[in-house]
Amino acid sequence: MVTYHKLMYLYKDAFNKKGIDLQVAKAFLFELCNEKGIDLYLELDNDADLEIVGRYENGIRRILNDEPMYYVLGYCYFFGYKLTVNKDVLIPRFETEELVGHILADVDTYFKDRDVKVVDIGTGSGAIAIALKKEESRLDIIATDISEEALAVARNNAKDNDAEIAFMGGDMLRPLIENGIKVDILISNPPYIPNKEEMEASVVDYEPHVALFGGDDGLDYYRMIFKDAHKVLNERHLLAFEIGYDQKEALMKEAEKYFPDHQIEVKKDINGKDRMMFIRHF
Ligand code: GLN
């Protein structure tokens, strides 16, 4: 028999050696318990449920093999909403929750008391679209992705969260252009990692490259969106992007070329890194 407390620390040395924070093991155990209605922190000294022990040990092995904890778990939380994730979709990051928060603030400021048409390009798990719809029901949201596998995950997540979203398959803005759809807000967290950038094994070995890499400088997908944006935007509009922490200047230059009479703002994330770009025309 083994207590939950013992389980929590069982792989401490292995995690240290691997350079993974033991918090990951604790969070994993917490979720496994939570699923069974067990309050881990009240039951720390109790003998652990055998099924949990099995799942924990098996999962920890995968995590020590660099697999992201949320893929092992099969779900994560974004803006408080539970989302299924698997190898077909990027695991939503905390920084992206901040993007959603800022978009909601802009909706309040610039689109008061009216219906707003929104598109999320490259929705992946559906995280951004779902959080926005749940937080602001008057948003009429389309979410696109080129990956049918990702769209299947996103559709399920929308259903599980009771969020009404119109999903469309296709590359970048094409689904909108082909259907003559115009929006007020265009959002994207496109793949923005430069192709040759070195990354942690947990990301590069497991997460979908189609959601990560954005060409030599990482900016290819922004350029594609900037170039065609005028075809899908209503007169008054907002574009909102997540960006790489070191892309502010290069992307500003690109944005100024395409949007000379717009207000362009870059915001930092909670870690003080440049992380979001807002391009406004009101
Ligand atoms: N933020 C992600 C990472 O650092 C990348 C997401 C993206 O390319 N849009 O792994």
Side-chain angles (χ1 to χ4, degrees), residues 90 93 189-193 199 203 207 211-213 242 275:
L90 193 84
R93 308 291 203 261
N189 173 15
Y192 57 66
I193 309 287
M199 298 183 80
V203 177
E207 297 201 89
L212 287 171
F213 295 106
E242 183 169 315
R275 185 61 66 194

Side-chain angles (χ1 to χ4, degrees), residues 204-252:
V204 80
D205 291 352
Y206 287 93
E207 297 201 89
H209 288 194
V210 64
L212 287 171
F213 295 106
D216 288 342
D217 63 356
L219 303 181
D220 283 2
Y221 293 99
Y222 300 100
R223 281 188 283 264
M224 285 179 222
I225 293 175
F226 290 176
K227 182 165 90 47
D228 281 341
H230 65 279
K231 298 180 188 164
V232 305
L233 289 168
N234 288 328
E235 172 61 17
R236 286 161 48 84
H237 56 251
L238 162 72
L239 298 101
F241 300 97
E242 183 169 315
I243 68 172
Y245 70 94
D246 57 356
Q247 294 174 330
K248 174 179 174 175
E249 278 173 32
L251 196 55
M252 268 285 196

Side-chain angles (χ1 to χ4, degrees), residues 9 20 36 45 49 51 70 73 76 94 116 122 132 154 169 175 181 204-205 220 224 226 228 246 252 254 257 262 279:
Y9 290 92
I20 306 177
K36 287 204 136 191
D45 295 323
D49 176 281
E51 192 199 326
Y70 291 110
L73 211 50
C76 68
F94 290 125
V116 190
L132 284 173
I181 298 169
V204 80
D205 291 352
D220 283 2
M224 285 179 222
F226 290 176
D228 281 341
D246 57 356
M252 268 285 196
E254 295 280 347
K257 266 195 273 175
H262 288 53
I279 304 175

